[in-house]
């Protein structure tokens, strides 16, 4: 039953990268990899990465930045970074470590050599970024770096929603 429910809940998930190019979430194009973005020649691009939480997407989790209170922040981020991207991923049927591996593969392109990445993550998205930093990157021969991470409502110590008596 749980497997069927996950398939239904994740039926519309479109995995991959989202290029945040303006304050209009409806205009954010999907891209297959960082190699599709206009990154500076010579490497070391500055990238701001958004990673959403459970039952969400980049647009669903971060579109509120396009409103009055977040609009200035988003405009400045788009101006200050070489690329602002979101990572859309399955949040029920895929383990955060597997999501992190997928994200790593998308970040590991020649055009992003020596990338300097800052991340803002919400809820389960923080577990994906934590898995990337703690499990994937240490043994990897990646030329980039994750410099700053902002965790917003991340269940780093677990969540009581997963307790059996809550089910």
């Amino acid at each position: 039953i749980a497997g069927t429910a996950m398939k239904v809940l994740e039926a519309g998930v479109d995995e991959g990268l989202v290029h945040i190019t303006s304050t209009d979430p409806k205009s954010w194009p999907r891209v297959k990899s960082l190699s599709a973005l206009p990154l500076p020649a010579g490497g070391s691009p500055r990238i701001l990465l958004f990673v959403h939480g459970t039952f969400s997407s980049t647009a669903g989790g971060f579109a509120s930045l396009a409103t009055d209170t977040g609009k200035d922040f988003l405009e400045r981020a788009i101006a200050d970074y070489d690329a602002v991207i979101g990572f859309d991923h399955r949040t029920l049927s895929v383990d955060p470590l597997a999501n992190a591996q997928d994200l790593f593969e998308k970040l590991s392109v020649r055009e992003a050599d020596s990338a300097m990445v800052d991340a803002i993550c919400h809820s389960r998205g923080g577990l994906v970024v934590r898995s990337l930093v703690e499990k994937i990157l240490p043994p990897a021969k990646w030329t980039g770096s994750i410099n700053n991470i902002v965790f917003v409502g991340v269940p780093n110590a677990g969540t009581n929603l997963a307790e059996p008596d809550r089910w």
Side-chain angles (χ1 to χ4, degrees), residues 25-88:
K26 292 178 181 156
S27 74
W28 297 348
R30 304 196 66 74
V31 294
K32 294 208 183 283
S33 80
L34 288 178
S35 55
L37 303 183
L39 298 175
S44 299
R46 293 186 64 238
I47 297 171
L48 179 59
L49 168 67
F50 289 101
V51 186
H52 65 78
T54 307
F55 299 117
S56 195
S57 64
T58 299
F62 299 102
S64 61
L65 289 174
T67 62
D68 292 339
T69 54
K71 194 172 186 178
D72 290 341
F73 169 80
L74 191 54
E75 287 174 343
R76 182 157 182 193
I78 292 167
D80 289 351
Y81 285 88
D82 296 312
V84 178
I85 60 171
F87 175 60
D88 281 348

Side-chain angles (χ1 to χ4, degrees), residues 121-154:
C121 25
H122 175 251
S123 189
R124 183 190 181 278
L127 302 180
V128 173
V129 173
R130 238 182 98 191
S131 294
L132 174 69
V133 171
E134 293 177 359
K135 307 282 187 194
I136 305 290
L137 293 183
K141 293 178 175 36
W142 188 50
T143 61
S145 63
I146 306 287
N147 294 339
N148 300 292
I149 303 171
V150 176
F151 291 115
V152 179
V154 176

Side-chain angles (χ1 to χ4, degrees), residues 15 20-23 31 36 46 51 58 79 94 104-105 109 114 132 135 148:
E15 297 174 277
I20 300 171
T21 55
S22 75
T23 57
V31 294
R46 293 186 64 238
V51 186
T58 299
V94 178
F104 175 71
E105 290 166 9
V109 296
S114 302
L132 174 69
K135 307 282 187 194
N148 300 292

